[in-house]
Amino acid sequence: MVKRYTAGARLYDVLSGEHLVYRAGRVAGIDALRLQRGDIVLDLGCGTGLNLPLLLERVGTEGHVIGLDRSSSMLAVASDRVRSHGWSNVSLLEADALLLNPAQITSIALREGGRSRFDAAFSSYAMSVFDDWMPAWALIRAVVRPGGRAGIVDMALPTGAAAVFAPLARLACAAGGADITARPWQALEREAADAEHTVLRGGHIHAVTGTLP
Ligand SMILES: C[S@@+](CC[C@H](N)C(=O)[O-])C[C@H]1O[C@@H](n2cnc3c(N)ncnc32)[C@H](O)[C@@H]1O
């Protein structure tokens, strides 16, 4: 899986179907996250940093975003994006979300924002790619403060009339190494009493946000 994102990192933004299909999910998820100016946010499996402009627009220059990804090639593209925009309130961390000690990222939240936990965590099209999303969910629970927000955007097979696109959706997920049956947002729905669930693109994209207890 690491190899897939190593070889494809420079082409990811062009070949991933971002504008035609997937941007709508990240926009809906980040909107529903209802971030506040000054928030410190974790972007788990941040890839090339496509969420960064949307997250930074909401947290402002007084907030901070920490992007974590296992692939150095994806992070190199994210780092170019940060440099070209001149963003000084983004930290990028190369780490495996499934093996990471939460203290490794909470220490960044403390250094950059003087807070021992994050105000929010967001993950788009990433947890279905992780070998197992449960430890990643445990990481989110460990690092987001009680009352903080979480957002998960991920993919499933289209349904109803859109089911005709199921073979295409399967192909896109297989190309990206995603498990289309993973449904990682279910953990958030179970734990957040106020979970909001938006379904887009005929059921292919699910954006779930909520407040953590
Ligand atoms: C389909 S990309 C999504 C990237 C980005 N979130 C987006 O919305 O465009 C999935 C990302 O998950 C990362 N990834 C896969 N397994 C990981 C792990 N165990 N820990 C951290 N990142 C991982 C990959 O390197 C890749 O950048």
PDB file of all heavy atoms in Angstrom, residues 181-195:
ATOM      1  N   THR A 181     -15.965  -1.697   1.658  1.00  0.00           N
ATOM      2  CA  THR A 181     -16.923  -2.202   2.661  1.00  0.00           C
ATOM      3  C   THR A 181     -16.565  -1.751   4.082  1.00  0.00           C
ATOM      4  O   THR A 181     -17.260  -2.092   5.037  1.00  0.00           O
ATOM      5  CB  THR A 181     -16.980  -3.753   2.655  1.00  0.00           C
ATOM      6  OG1 THR A 181     -15.705  -4.253   3.093  1.00  0.00           O
ATOM      7  CG2 THR A 181     -17.277  -4.309   1.268  1.00  0.00           C
ATOM      8  N   ALA A 182     -15.503  -0.970   4.239  1.00  0.00           N
ATOM      9  CA  ALA A 182     -14.970  -0.674   5.590  1.00  0.00           C
ATOM     10  C   ALA A 182     -15.925   0.161   6.455  1.00  0.00           C
ATOM     11  O   ALA A 182     -16.054  -0.062   7.638  1.00  0.00           O
ATOM     12  CB  ALA A 182     -13.615   0.024   5.473  1.00  0.00           C
ATOM     13  N   ARG A 183     -16.566   1.160   5.882  1.00  0.00           N
ATOM     14  CA  ARG A 183     -17.517   2.056   6.578  1.00  0.00           C
ATOM     15  C   ARG A 183     -16.981   2.566   7.921  1.00  0.00           C
ATOM     16  O   ARG A 183     -17.616   2.390   8.982  1.00  0.00           O
ATOM     17  CB  ARG A 183     -18.873   1.351   6.760  1.00  0.00           C
ATOM     18  CG  ARG A 183     -19.443   0.840   5.439  1.00  0.00           C
ATOM     19  CD  ARG A 183     -20.729   0.073   5.592  1.00  0.00           C
ATOM     20  NE  ARG A 183     -21.885   0.935   5.629  1.00  0.00           N
ATOM     21  CZ  ARG A 183     -22.507   1.422   4.547  1.00  0.00           C
ATOM     22  NH1 ARG A 183     -22.084   1.124   3.337  1.00  0.00           N
ATOM     23  NH2 ARG A 183     -23.545   2.206   4.671  1.00  0.00           N
ATOM     24  N   PRO A 184     -15.814   3.221   7.916  1.00  0.00           N
ATOM     25  CA  PRO A 184     -15.172   3.633   9.175  1.00  0.00           C
ATOM     26  C   PRO A 184     -15.949   4.686   9.960  1.00  0.00           C
ATOM     27  O   PRO A 184     -15.700   4.875  11.150  1.00  0.00           O
ATOM     28  CB  PRO A 184     -13.814   4.178   8.720  1.00  0.00           C
ATOM     29  CG  PRO A 184     -14.020   4.574   7.300  1.00  0.00           C
ATOM     30  CD  PRO A 184     -15.008   3.605   6.740  1.00  0.00           C
ATOM     31  N   TRP A 185     -16.903   5.364   9.293  1.00  0.00           N
ATOM     32  CA  TRP A 185     -17.684   6.408   9.982  1.00  0.00           C
ATOM     33  C   TRP A 185     -18.622   5.812  11.027  1.00  0.00           C
ATOM     34  O   TRP A 185     -19.151   6.531  11.859  1.00  0.00           O
ATOM     35  CB  TRP A 185     -18.487   7.215   8.962  1.00  0.00           C
ATOM     36  CG  TRP A 185     -19.399   6.379   8.126  1.00  0.00           C
ATOM     37  CD1 TRP A 185     -20.649   5.927   8.475  1.00  0.00           C
ATOM     38  CD2 TRP A 185     -19.132   5.849   6.820  1.00  0.00           C
ATOM     39  NE1 TRP A 185     -21.171   5.153   7.456  1.00  0.00           N
ATOM     40  CE2 TRP A 185     -20.266   5.097   6.433  1.00  0.00           C
ATOM     41  CE3 TRP A 185     -18.049   5.953   5.940  1.00  0.00           C
ATOM     42  CZ2 TRP A 185     -20.333   4.443   5.203  1.00  0.00           C
ATOM     43  CZ3 TRP A 185     -18.124   5.308   4.719  1.00  0.00           C
ATOM     44  CH2 TRP A 185     -19.257   4.565   4.358  1.00  0.00           C
ATOM     45  N   GLN A 186     -18.813   4.492  10.996  1.00  0.00           N
ATOM     46  CA  GLN A 186     -19.766   3.873  11.924  1.00  0.00           C
ATOM     47  C   GLN A 186     -19.349   4.060  13.384  1.00  0.00           C
ATOM     48  O   GLN A 186     -20.199   4.197  14.266  1.00  0.00           O
ATOM     49  CB  GLN A 186     -19.926   2.394  11.608  1.00  0.00           C
ATOM     50  CG  GLN A 186     -20.747   2.182  10.332  1.00  0.00           C
ATOM     51  CD  GLN A 186     -20.870   0.722   9.951  1.00  0.00           C
ATOM     52  OE1 GLN A 186     -19.996  -0.083  10.260  1.00  0.00           O
ATOM     53  NE2 GLN A 186     -21.943   0.380   9.275  1.00  0.00           N
ATOM     54  N   ALA A 187     -18.037   4.084  13.631  1.00  0.00           N
ATOM     55  CA  ALA A 187     -17.565   4.263  15.010  1.00  0.00           C
ATOM     56  C   ALA A 187     -17.990   5.639  15.518  1.00  0.00           C
ATOM     57  O   ALA A 187     -18.452   5.777  16.657  1.00  0.00           O
ATOM     58  CB  ALA A 187     -16.045   4.115  15.059  1.00  0.00           C
ATOM     59  N   LEU A 188     -17.851   6.639  14.660  1.00  0.00           N
ATOM     60  CA  LEU A 188     -18.220   8.006  15.044  1.00  0.00           C
ATOM     61  C   LEU A 188     -19.736   8.102  15.271  1.00  0.00           C
ATOM     62  O   LEU A 188     -20.189   8.728  16.237  1.00  0.00           O
ATOM     63  CB  LEU A 188     -17.747   8.973  13.950  1.00  0.00           C
ATOM     64  CG  LEU A 188     -18.114  10.446  14.072  1.00  0.00           C
ATOM     65  CD1 LEU A 188     -17.705  11.027  15.412  1.00  0.00           C
ATOM     66  CD2 LEU A 188     -17.444  11.247  12.940  1.00  0.00           C
ATOM     67  N   GLU A 189     -20.500   7.442  14.417  1.00  0.00           N
ATOM     68  CA  GLU A 189     -21.964   7.458  14.586  1.00  0.00           C
ATOM     69  C   GLU A 189     -22.374   6.813  15.905  1.00  0.00           C
ATOM     70  O   GLU A 189     -23.323   7.248  16.549  1.00  0.00           O
ATOM     71  CB  GLU A 189     -22.629   6.709  13.430  1.00  0.00           C
ATOM     72  CG  GLU A 189     -22.718   7.551  12.185  1.00  0.00           C
ATOM     73  CD  GLU A 189     -23.531   6.877  11.103  1.00  0.00           C
ATOM     74  OE1 GLU A 189     -23.339   5.660  10.892  1.00  0.00           O
ATOM     75  OE2 GLU A 189     -24.343   7.547  10.464  1.00  0.00           O
ATOM     76  N   ARG A 190     -21.638   5.781  16.290  1.00  0.00           N
ATOM     77  CA  ARG A 190     -21.955   5.096  17.555  1.00  0.00           C
ATOM     78  C   ARG A 190     -21.667   5.991  18.755  1.00  0.00           C
ATOM     79  O   ARG A 190     -22.395   5.986  19.735  1.00  0.00           O
ATOM     80  CB  ARG A 190     -21.111   3.818  17.681  1.00  0.00           C
ATOM     81  CG  ARG A 190     -21.808   2.552  17.218  1.00  0.00           C
ATOM     82  CD  ARG A 190     -21.096   1.307  17.717  1.00  0.00           C
ATOM     83  NE  ARG A 190     -19.693   1.255  17.353  1.00  0.00           N
ATOM     84  CZ  ARG A 190     -19.233   0.771  16.204  1.00  0.00           C
ATOM     85  NH1 ARG A 190     -20.066   0.300  15.306  1.00  0.00           N
ATOM     86  NH2 ARG A 190     -17.947   0.742  15.940  1.00  0.00           N
ATOM     87  N   GLU A 191     -20.587   6.774  18.670  1.00  0.00           N
ATOM     88  CA  GLU A 191     -20.123   7.481  19.874  1.00  0.00           C
ATOM     89  C   GLU A 191     -20.598   8.929  19.987  1.00  0.00           C
ATOM     90  O   GLU A 191     -20.628   9.468  21.080  1.00  0.00           O
ATOM     91  CB  GLU A 191     -18.596   7.417  19.950  1.00  0.00           C
ATOM     92  CG  GLU A 191     -18.135   5.988  20.212  1.00  0.00           C
ATOM     93  CD  GLU A 191     -16.689   5.906  20.638  1.00  0.00           C
ATOM     94  OE1 GLU A 191     -16.249   6.742  21.442  1.00  0.00           O
ATOM     95  OE2 GLU A 191     -15.999   4.997  20.149  1.00  0.00           O
ATOM     96  N   ALA A 192     -20.934   9.541  18.865  1.00  0.00           N
ATOM     97  CA  ALA A 192     -21.352  10.952  18.921  1.00  0.00           C
ATOM     98  C   ALA A 192     -22.878  11.026  18.929  1.00  0.00           C
ATOM     99  O   ALA A 192     -23.533  10.624  17.962  1.00  0.00           O
ATOM    100  CB  ALA A 192     -20.787  11.712  17.723  1.00  0.00           C
ATOM    101  N   ALA A 193     -23.421  11.553  20.013  1.00  0.00           N
ATOM    102  CA  ALA A 193     -24.882  11.615  20.142  1.00  0.00           C
ATOM    103  C   ALA A 193     -25.488  12.517  19.069  1.00  0.00           C
ATOM    104  O   ALA A 193     -26.643  12.336  18.678  1.00  0.00           O
ATOM    105  CB  ALA A 193     -25.237  12.128  21.533  1.00  0.00           C
ATOM    106  N   ASP A 194     -24.691  13.498  18.592  1.00  0.00           N
ATOM    107  CA  ASP A 194     -25.225  14.464  17.628  1.00  0.00           C
ATOM    108  C   ASP A 194     -24.727  14.207  16.201  1.00  0.00           C
ATOM    109  O   ASP A 194     -24.676  15.131  15.386  1.00  0.00           O
ATOM    110  CB  ASP A 194     -24.839  15.886  18.058  1.00  0.00           C
ATOM    111  CG  ASP A 194     -23.307  16.086  18.050  1.00  0.00           C
ATOM    112  OD1 ASP A 194     -22.573  15.077  17.886  1.00  0.00           O
ATOM    113  OD2 ASP A 194     -22.855  17.231  18.193  1.00  0.00           O
ATOM    114  N   ALA A 195     -24.351  12.956  15.904  1.00  0.00           N
ATOM    115  CA  ALA A 195     -23.742  12.661  14.587  1.00  0.00           C
ATOM    116  C   ALA A 195     -24.637  13.125  13.434  1.00  0.00           C
ATOM    117  O   ALA A 195     -25.848  12.930  13.455  1.00  0.00           O
ATOM    118  CB  ALA A 195     -23.473  11.175  14.474  1.00  0.00           C
TER     119      ALA A 195
END
